[in-house]
């Protein structure tokens, strides 16, 4: 009502004011009023900007020391989106841009280099941006990954800018790089290179000169995938501590492995042997090896040449994966227990698609007295009533794997009786609770993923209510009980 009255009053006022004015005079008055409105709007926007600037001046973030703001920036960067995150931070305001540009750690995320065949201003802009990015990361090491690459060695400014920084590379991913690019990188200074990944070189290249990376004094981690007809690779094998080998030749893979005398972690994916070698290999001691992952593929099922030639006295974790095997592994002749004698501290065992039987599993566990973690995945035949019964705790009888406290069973088939498994879990739970000192370790996690009988689920629910960290998962991965403690 007040607004309507005000408008009416203004209309009366302007009517009286323009009583003697022509239409043209009134239109000039309208133009003058519009100019005043524009001027007032501009003044309002300026006053709003002044208010915003004053609020910024007294804002808490402006009072932060530059060093603390830089640390906040570093924590705000996510690995997968680090480029977008850094650019957004640097575009908030000029002060933040100065802090971002003066914080080299913000610019040390993974750089995926595209050496495709684009030309013109777009490629030049990419090269300029890459050069500026690398300059802001000084003096820190940077990780480099080569993605799209031309098939031939032609001059490329992008590559030239990248190769200039090779002494600062902390890691280099060359899995998708052609041979000419790998050769170019091998010729560079690699003073800070600690991690290197190489893919398959290409068919019929074994006659070419060796690829030489012996000039990388800090190289510790290597991932390499090769065939028997790839060129020879020269590496500072003895200084490596982490190696992943994926090879179609088990002999080349073993030749490499035994040269890596300082290994802490090793992962091999090789074919098995069709026939046993006529001459046995010498036993090579990998005295620092803690984790070993061994995967087989193909149709050959003999593995004893591997287990017979390696000694790992410090080994703590062993993963045996046979997902890609076409035939069964000959476990009776695998000599795994003999290998275990040379690895007395084995604490974690992970078996996937292993075709061993129940008595084979008992032999493996018998030679793993320090075992704390056991995982069986798609091991259809080994977890039968005999193996489950061997794990059953009986008072006055020395238990098998007394330190076992973490048991994961996923898709282990129907060779065991659910009631026998429930009794075994219960016996070890009671043995840990009642005996002084405990004859077996307290369970920290029992996870069973498969279909369950009602009796088995009922028994486990009773133990769960008493504190047993049990997870019963159906085939969809849904847990029947509340989550177990995360101390696995």
């Amino acid at each position: 009502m007040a607004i309507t009255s005000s408008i009416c009053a203004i209309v009366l006022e302007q009517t009286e004011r323009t009583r003697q004015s022509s239409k043209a005079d009134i239109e000039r008055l309208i133009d003058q009023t519009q100019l005043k409105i524009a001027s007032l709007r501009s003044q309002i926007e300026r006053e709003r900007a002044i208010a915003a600037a004053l609020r910024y001046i007294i804002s808490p973030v402006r009072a932060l020391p530059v060093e603390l703001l830089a640390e906040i920036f570093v924590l705000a960067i996510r690995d997968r989106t680090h480029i977008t995150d850094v650019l957004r931070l640097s575009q908030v305001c000029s002060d933040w841009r100065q802090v971002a540009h003066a914080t080299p750690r913000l610019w040390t995320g993974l750089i995926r280099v595209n050496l495709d065949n684009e030309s013109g201003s777009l490629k030049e802009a990419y090269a300029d941006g890459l050069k500026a990015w690398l300059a802001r990361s000084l003096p820190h090491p940077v990780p480099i990954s080569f993605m799209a690459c031309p098939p031939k060695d032609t001059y490329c400014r992008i590559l030239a800018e990248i190769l200039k920084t090779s002494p600062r590379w902390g890691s280099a991913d060359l899995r998708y790089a052609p041979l000419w690019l790998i050769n170019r990188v091998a010729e560079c200074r690699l003073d800070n290179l600690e991690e290197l990944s190489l893919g398959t070189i290409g068919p019929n290249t074994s006659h070419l000169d060796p690829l030489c990376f012996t000039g990388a004094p800090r190289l510790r981690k290597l991932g390499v995938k090769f065939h028997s007809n790839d060129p020879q690779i020269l590496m500072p094998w003895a200084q490596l501590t982490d190696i992943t080998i994926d090879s179609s030749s088990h002999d080349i893979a073993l030749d490499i492995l035994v040269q890596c005398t300082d290994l802490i972690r090793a992962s091999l994916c090789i074919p098995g042997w069709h026939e046993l070698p006529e001459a046995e290999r010498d036993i090579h001691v990998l005295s620092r090896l803690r984790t070993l992952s061994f995967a087989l593929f193909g149709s050959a099922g003999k593995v004893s040449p591997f287990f017979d030639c390696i000694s790992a006295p410090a080994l703590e974790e062993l993963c045996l994966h046979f997902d890609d095997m076409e035939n069964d592994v000959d476990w009776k002749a695998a000599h795994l227990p003999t290998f275990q004698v040379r690895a007395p501290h084995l604490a974690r065992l992970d078996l996937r698609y292993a075709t061993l039987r129940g008595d084979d599993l008992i032999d493996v566990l018998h030679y793993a007295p320090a075992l704390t973690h056991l995982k069986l995945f798609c091991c259809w035949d080994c977890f039968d009533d005999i193996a489950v019964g061997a794990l059953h705790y009986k008072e006055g009888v020395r238990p098998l794997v007394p330190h076992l406290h973490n048991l994961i069973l996923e898709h282990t088939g129907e060779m065991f009786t659910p009631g026998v498994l429930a009794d075994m879990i219960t016996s070890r739970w009671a043995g840990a609770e009642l005996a002084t000192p405990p004859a077996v370790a307290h369970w920290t996690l029992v996870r069973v993923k498969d279909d369950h009988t009602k009796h088995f689920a009922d028994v486990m629910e009773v133990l769960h209510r008493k504190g047993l960290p049990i997870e019963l998962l159906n085939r969809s991965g849904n847990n029947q009980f509340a989550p177990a403690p995360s101390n696995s």
Side-chain angles (χ1 to χ4, degrees):
M1 182 66 69
I3 295 176
T4 303
S5 300
S6 176
I7 293 175
C8 291
I10 292 172
V11 169
L12 292 174
E13 175 188 301
Q14 295 304 314
T15 301
E16 184 64 28
R17 175 189 176 191
T18 58
R19 187 177 300 278
Q20 304 299 325
S21 301
S22 64
K23 181 180 179 181
D25 293 334
I26 295 174
E27 288 178 344
R28 280 194 295 273
L29 290 174
I30 293 173
D31 291 340
Q32 292 173 6
T33 302
Q34 293 290 351
L35 289 174
K36 287 181 181 179
I37 293 173
S39 176
L40 290 172
R41 284 176 176 169
S42 176
Q43 187 176 351
I44 291 171
E45 289 301 320
R46 173 173 170 76
E47 294 301 324
R48 284 177 175 169
I50 291 173
L54 292 173
R55 281 193 295 268
Y56 169 67
I57 289 173
I58 64 171
S59 64
V61 70
R62 184 173 170 80
L64 289 175
V66 171
E67 295 80 7
L68 182 55
L69 185 60
E71 288 297 324
I72 293 174
F73 286 177
V74 171
L75 294 174
I77 302 301
R78 297 162 293 182
D79 290 339
R80 296 186 62 181
T81 57
H82 71 97
I83 293 179
T84 303
D85 293 345
V86 171
L87 293 178
R88 283 176 176 171
L89 284 173
S90 63
Q91 292 172 2
V92 171
C93 62
S94 60
D95 288 345
W96 282 28
R97 181 161 53 252
Q98 291 177 7
V99 173
H101 287 185
T103 308
R105 284 185 296 162
L106 292 177
W107 310 86
T108 56
L110 177 63
I111 299 175
R112 294 180 173 87
V113 182
N114 187 345
L115 298 178
D116 61 14
N117 292 319
E118 285 188 51
S119 59
S121 59
L122 182 60
K123 195 166 188 177
E124 287 300 311
Y126 180 70
D128 290 338
L130 195 58
K131 181 179 180 180
W133 186 282
L134 291 168
R136 288 171 188 152
S137 67
L138 278 167
H140 296 290
V142 290
I144 300 293
S145 175
F146 288 93
M147 305 305 289
C149 301
K152 295 183 179 180
D153 185 3
T154 56
Y155 175 77
C156 173
R157 186 185 160 211
I158 297 172
L159 179 60
E161 297 292 349
I162 285 290
L163 293 182
K164 288 178 185 177
T165 64
S166 64
R168 287 200 295 123
W169 293 359
S171 66
D173 186 347
L174 301 173
R175 288 176 297 170
Y176 309 106
L179 180 59
W180 67 264
L181 179 55
I182 298 175
N183 275 316
R184 290 281 298 276
V185 172
E187 295 169 354
C188 295
R189 286 179 54 195
L190 301 170
D191 301 346
N192 283 281
L193 188 68
E194 296 183 356
E195 181 177 348
L196 176 64
S197 298
L198 295 175
T200 303
I201 305 303
N204 303 319
T205 54
S206 58
H207 63 284
L208 299 177
D209 293 337
L211 297 172
C212 183
F213 285 89
T214 54
R218 302 184 65 179
L219 186 62
R220 295 295 182 270
K221 185 176 182 180
L222 173 67
V224 59
K225 183 176 183 178
F226 57 87
H227 298 298
S228 56
N229 58 357
D230 287 345
Q232 184 182 5
I233 302 175
L234 302 180
M235 291 281 176
W237 303 114
Q239 72 186 38
L240 298 181
T241 59
D242 189 327
I243 191 168
T244 299
I245 301 174
D246 186 344
S247 173
S248 62
S249 170
H250 44 238
D251 290 328
I252 294 177
L254 283 183
D255 287 340
I256 290 176
L257 184 66
V258 298
Q259 296 179 66
C260 303
T261 54
D262 211 29
L263 282 180
I264 296 175
R265 177 192 171 278
S267 177
L268 277 77
C269 183
I270 60 175
W273 283 258
H274 286 284
E275 300 294 337
L276 297 180
E278 294 183 3
E280 294 184 0
R281 286 175 173 264
D282 294 333
I283 296 179
H284 295 270
V285 180
L286 301 177
S287 60
R288 299 186 63 203
L289 188 64
R290 299 288 190 275
T291 301
L292 173 61
S293 178
F294 180 66
L296 283 186
F297 63 88
S299 59
K302 298 185 183 299
V303 296
S304 60
F306 174 79
F307 291 121
D308 286 344
C309 75
I310 300 296
S311 175
L315 189 66
E316 297 174 354
E317 183 173 356
L318 177 62
C319 305
L320 301 177
H321 295 181
F322 305 99
D323 310 36
D324 297 321
M325 288 294 295
E326 299 172 13
N327 298 319
D328 292 348
V329 172
D330 185 359
W331 281 101
K332 294 297 183 184
H335 297 178
L336 179 57
T338 305
F339 169 79
Q340 290 178 256
V341 171
R342 300 191 294 271
H345 304 293
L346 182 63
R348 294 171 176 260
L349 180 62
D350 182 348
L351 298 177
R352 292 175 176 263
Y353 290 90
T355 54
L356 69 171
R357 305 293 177 178
D359 55 345
D360 298 323
L361 178 61
I362 293 174
D363 286 342
V364 170
L365 298 180
H366 176 75
Y367 288 97
L371 196 69
T372 60
H373 291 64
L374 175 63
K375 180 176 182 178
L376 302 177
F377 181 85
C378 292
C379 299
W380 308 109
D381 299 325
C382 70
F383 209 65
D384 56 15
D385 284 350
I386 297 175
V388 176
L391 287 169
H392 196 289
Y393 169 69
K394 300 179 180 66
E395 188 176 357
V397 179
R398 184 178 180 180
L400 189 65
V401 286
H403 303 289
L404 181 68
H405 60 77
N406 188 299
L407 177 64
I408 297 177
L409 306 172
E410 297 189 9
H411 308 304
T412 47
E414 300 178 351
M415 298 296 290
F416 64 90
T417 304
V420 175
L421 177 60
D423 290 344
M424 183 274 289
I425 296 173
T426 304
S427 72
R428 296 181 75 98
W429 179 252
E433 288 291 316
L434 300 178
T436 305
V440 289
H442 282 265
W443 289 120
T444 59
L445 175 63
V446 177
R447 178 184 298 152
V448 183
K449 183 176 182 180
D450 223 323
D451 293 331
H452 319 294
T453 65
K454 185 178 186 304
H455 171 70
F456 178 74
D458 289 344
V459 173
M460 293 300 101
E461 184 175 8
V462 171
L463 293 180
H464 180 263
R465 289 174 178 173
K466 293 181 180 180
L468 175 67
I470 175 77
E471 294 180 6
L472 286 188
L473 308 181
N474 58 28
R475 292 184 180 271
S476 300
N478 298 318
N479 188 7
Q480 182 170 326
F481 303 137
S486 59
N487 55 359
S488 59

